[in-house]
Amino acid sequence: MREQLRGNGVSDAVVDDAVLILSELLSNACRHGRPLGRHADVGDGDIRAAWHVDTGGGLTVEVTDGGGPTRPVPSTPSVTARGGRGLNIISALAQEWGVRDDSSGEVTVWAHVPSPKPPEIGAVGGLTGFEGLDFSDVLDDAS
């Protein structure tokens, strides 16, 4: 995924977030979902991963499995819990995420990572102590 997205010009920030999201979604599908096309036991079988880059450079990542005994919802794990943080990580990285059910019993969990906004020209974001400074004289001298 990383190689394909970078090869298609997707920004590194989006790629890094998308790879982590894909990892979390695949882990959840393997742990909690049933295999695609069968109603077998949890945790053994096929799942499907897909991603799509929109015209604005944002990315939607999807993982589909055969459904499971519970719905995907973020949890509140204890500090010492060994798991339960995946959907919280996805919530922090993605602009939005959701669950889509198919009539065949398939369940798709998706997440959308927006393209980062380019910085505004002349903006000094997050820095303090520069109030009242006018850099226009310096820039005029440099040209």
Side-chain angles (χ1 to χ4, degrees):
M1 175 184 186
R2 182 183 304 274
E3 198 172 295
Q4 183 185 36
L5 293 174
R6 282 191 175 148
N8 286 306
V10 177
S11 78
D12 285 344
V14 171
V15 171
D16 291 344
D17 289 351
V19 168
L20 181 53
I21 288 170
L22 178 62
S23 173
E24 293 296 336
L25 292 177
L26 288 171
S27 296
N28 285 349
C30 290
R31 173 174 263 163
H32 304 290
R34 292 183 182 94
L36 288 169
R38 299 187 293 271
H39 296 287
D41 292 335
V42 172
D44 184 31
D46 296 333
I47 55 177
R48 182 174 51 245
W51 48 90
H52 170 75
V53 179
D54 62 37
T55 56
L59 176 70
T60 300
V61 179
E62 301 181 345
V63 171
T64 304
D65 61 38
T70 60
R71 298 292 295 163
V73 293
S75 63
T76 308
S78 70
V79 174
T80 58
R82 300 184 88 197
R85 293 172 183 82
L87 289 177
N88 291 318
I89 292 170
I90 291 168
S91 294
L93 296 175
Q95 181 179 40
E96 59 182 331
W97 70 273
V99 181
R100 186 173 64 242
D101 295 297
D102 188 298
S103 61
S104 66
E106 293 182 356
V107 174
T108 300
V109 181
W110 59 269
H112 179 74
V113 180
S115 176
K117 295 178 183 172
E120 294 180 28
I121 296 176
V124 182
L127 298 178
T128 59
F130 293 99
E131 297 83 6
L133 291 180
D134 183 2
F135 293 107
S136 61
D137 294 337
V138 175
L139 296 176
D140 288 341
D141 292 342
S143 46

